[in-house]
Amino acid sequence: SGGCDKISGQKSTLRVSAHLGIPIGKQQFVHAYLNDKIILKSIEDLQTIQRMPLIQAQHTLLTKSICHRLNHLWCLIPTTDITNIHGNDDLHSLGLQLDSALRQHLQSLFPIHKINDRAWTIATLPPRLSGMGISTWRNTADCAFLASYAVISKTICHLFPNLSPAFQQPLPNPPPG
């Protein structure tokens, strides 16, 4: 479902289009949409689940809902290109703001123990590697987008050959071997 959303603090004539929750438009609108509709909403969601009495329920909602939703977004938002337009680094700071909120939430689950950098790194590992499965912007966004682009660029070029010049292959073909 797509549509146009007004972004807070912007003139009413300035809009960004969002389709499937992904902002499409000029850089300032993409950044404002990410901040207002995604980052601040996710931080608000973290504050809401902190009110739950069971730590297990909080963790389940965090990893199966909030982190899952964010992983979907990171697959579709080109972090590097947007960040580098006109030297603006807002997207990086927005991602780190969200990572900080995730870390604060984890610290609230364990108020007696200080979550140091090593513990945080372990917490961001998947459960199969003895982590807590908390996916962060810093660890996930670039890889998720590159993987998504690599898959979709091949599909688009196959379905629409006339668009293939617009989709450069991000990784060269491996040597035979």
Side-chain angles (χ1 to χ4, degrees):
S1 65
C4 292
D5 294 313
K6 287 186 211 176
I7 301 300
S8 65
Q10 302 289 336
K11 295 179 182 178
S12 62
T13 58
L14 302 177
R15 294 176 181 260
V16 64
S17 179
H19 298 279
L20 299 175
I22 304 302
I24 301 169
K26 293 184 178 184
Q27 179 193 23
Q28 66 184 9
F29 298 122
V30 171
H31 287 273
Y33 186 92
L34 287 173
N35 185 56
D36 293 353
K37 304 280 184 175
I38 296 171
I39 304 297
L40 294 178
K41 173 70 172 117
S42 296
I43 291 171
E44 182 181 306
D45 291 345
L46 286 171
Q47 293 167 349
T48 300
I49 67 172
Q50 280 181 335
R51 291 184 257 162
M52 297 178 71
L54 296 175
I55 292 175
Q56 294 87 349
Q58 289 184 35
H59 180 260
T60 300
L61 279 175
L62 174 64
T63 58
K64 303 298 182 196
S65 178
I66 295 173
C67 288
H68 183 72
R69 177 180 63 209
L70 293 172
N71 284 339
H72 165 73
L73 295 170
W74 302 154
C75 286
L76 302 171
I77 299 170
T79 57
T80 304
D81 292 338
I82 292 175
T83 302
N84 290 332
I85 296 175
H86 307 298
N88 193 338
D89 199 21
D90 288 344
L91 186 58
H92 182 73
S93 64
L94 290 176
L96 292 180
Q97 179 183 355
L98 182 60
D99 286 358
S100 175
L102 287 167
R103 188 170 179 162
Q104 288 172 2
H105 175 74
L106 183 64
Q107 183 63 63
S108 74
L109 297 178
F110 306 103
I112 296 173
H113 302 287
K114 168 108 171 77
I115 304 295
N116 59 23
D117 290 341
R118 187 175 192 177
W120 175 243
T121 300
I122 293 170
T124 61
L125 293 173
R128 71 180 178 276
L129 297 175
S130 301
M132 294 183 71
I134 299 172
S135 44
T136 62
W137 179 85
R138 176 177 281 175
N139 295 341
T140 310
D142 292 332
C143 296
F145 179 75
L146 183 60
S148 174
Y149 181 86
V151 169
I152 197 64
S153 65
K154 292 176 185 174
T155 304
I156 292 290
C157 293
H158 179 70
L159 294 174
F160 305 100
N162 58 332
L163 295 178
S164 62
F167 289 91
Q168 297 177 1
Q169 292 302 313
L171 303 172
N173 292 331

